[in-house]
Amino acid sequence: MEGDICDPDRAAYPRIFPPREAGESDHQPFERCVNFPVSVVLPAAGTGERTGLQTPKQFCSFLGRPLISYTIQAFERVSWIQSIVVVVLKENMALMTDIIQRFQHRKVRVVPGGSTRHRSICSGVLALGELEGEESHAAVQPKVVIIHDAVRPFVEADFLYKIAMAAKEQGAAGAIRPLVSTVIATTSEGYLDHSLDRAKYRASEMPQGFTYDVIYQAYQRCTESDFDFGTECLHLALQYCGVSAKLIEGPPTLWKVTYKRDLAAAESIIKETLSRSACVVTGASAQAVTLAGTLQKAARTWDMELNVIPDLKGDNGSYLLTEWNFILVSGSLPCLSEVEAILTDFKAANRAPLHPFVIVWVHLSSSDELSISRTMAEQVAIMDLASAAKLQNIFLYGIQIHQSKEVPPPPPPPFVLMKPLGGSGKPWN
């Protein structure tokens, strides 16, 4: 199989926000490498009737962010995915475009869908064939197309790799899960006809992968009946292209938001994931960078993600839309304006703070900077700022670390990471 991996022991936990240090590309050291073009089609034209809500479930908000945005970001974090096509109803085109712009999604194109699932997926596949030569996407026709539901936000990069590689080799591949209930057939009168042996059957899940030629030809050859009543892409590949898909058992996190109760479960998982991620802003201080590096290494042992960046300007500003926990490290003389600036940036980002933001301001000071009067004034100032920020659902905490100039900054004490940031709105214990 083409590709490689540098960290096979990576923890199996549904990640939404991956680590990325300042100056790094999206390619992560632990990420498997794929040397052929891969694109994604996300059908999102459903109306979500089974949830019983007026808003389609893919547009339901979690912590001020629509569900489909989390799904898109799960694919954006994978460096070898070159483009993402989102298929929505014509009346939702403007809404989807606004979501892409507001949350600064990359490599994403929106196209109108059809009246059924297969018609929408077909529209996405045809759109991928039109990407070649478009300067705005700088992409070529993909070798492999991954099809995934917009309401399955917890897909892992490692599993996407397995699907992509199997699809390239076999022509088609799909995720499966064991059946949790016995399947029975009923008579027209509503009586039991027969039951199936559960051990012989599996539930077909997403994602599914195909070589572009296979999925394109399958849709070119399928019937109107397939378009109107079919739902299984793997079946089209088998029936019209003679390609038997490789089936790969997926993790439990591949579940789909289907009913209203699933929305609460999805929000709970998203909150848990957010609490295990933070962004460290170092500025230009060498001491701050050193401390951030130490924190980042320690966080990995606790299965936490720390993104280290110098500031929140330019491309780094996207963290204002994705992170909920920030550690602002200041070296030398403290500057309260740095904290005020990040609060201003939050306001400019126009996020809906239904879940509290957490900002921890860490000031590294040398022993000769100590001044009782100045220290007291600083404490009063940050307390006033924290009181004002709390009204915006932002919890602001300050930590001052005194150190001698002759001695390098010590590593963080072992209790620093005893509790993930965020969630409860409490400071570190």
Side-chain angles (χ1 to χ4, degrees), residues 3 7 17 22 63 73 78 90 105 109 161 176 179 189-190 217 253 262-263 267 288-290 313 335-336 349 414:
D7 185 2
F17 307 121
L63 313 179
Q73 192 169 24
V78 183
K90 289 183 179 180
H105 289 301
R109 180 182 180 185
Y161 172 85
I176 57 171
L179 291 175
E189 293 80 16
Q217 291 299 327
T253 53
D262 297 330
L263 297 172
E267 183 174 22
V289 172
T290 300
K313 307 301 180 183
C335 185
L336 200 59

Side-chain angles (χ1 to χ4, degrees), residues 109 111 123 125-134 141 212:
R109 180 182 180 185
V111 299
S123 296
V125 172
L126 294 177
L128 286 175
E130 299 168 358
L131 289 179
E132 187 172 2
E134 290 191 11
Q141 189 179 95
Y212 183 83

Side-chain angles (χ1 to χ4, degrees), residues 157-175:
D158 285 349
F159 191 73
L160 290 174
Y161 172 85
K162 295 177 181 178
I163 291 292
M165 298 305 297
K168 180 179 180 294
E169 294 180 357
Q170 190 66 26

Side-chain angles (χ1 to χ4, degrees), residues 14 84 124 348 353 389 398 402 428:
I84 303 168
H402 301 296
W428 288 333

Side-chain angles (χ1 to χ4, degrees), residues 50-64:
R50 285 177 288 184
T51 61
L53 302 174
Q54 292 183 343
T55 301
K57 54 197 173 187
Q58 61 269 27
F59 299 121
C60 288
S61 290
F62 300 88
L63 313 179

Side-chain angles (χ1 to χ4, degrees), residues 277-291:
S277 172
C279 182
V280 183
V281 184
T282 63
S285 168
Q287 289 178 319
V289 172
T290 300
L291 177 60

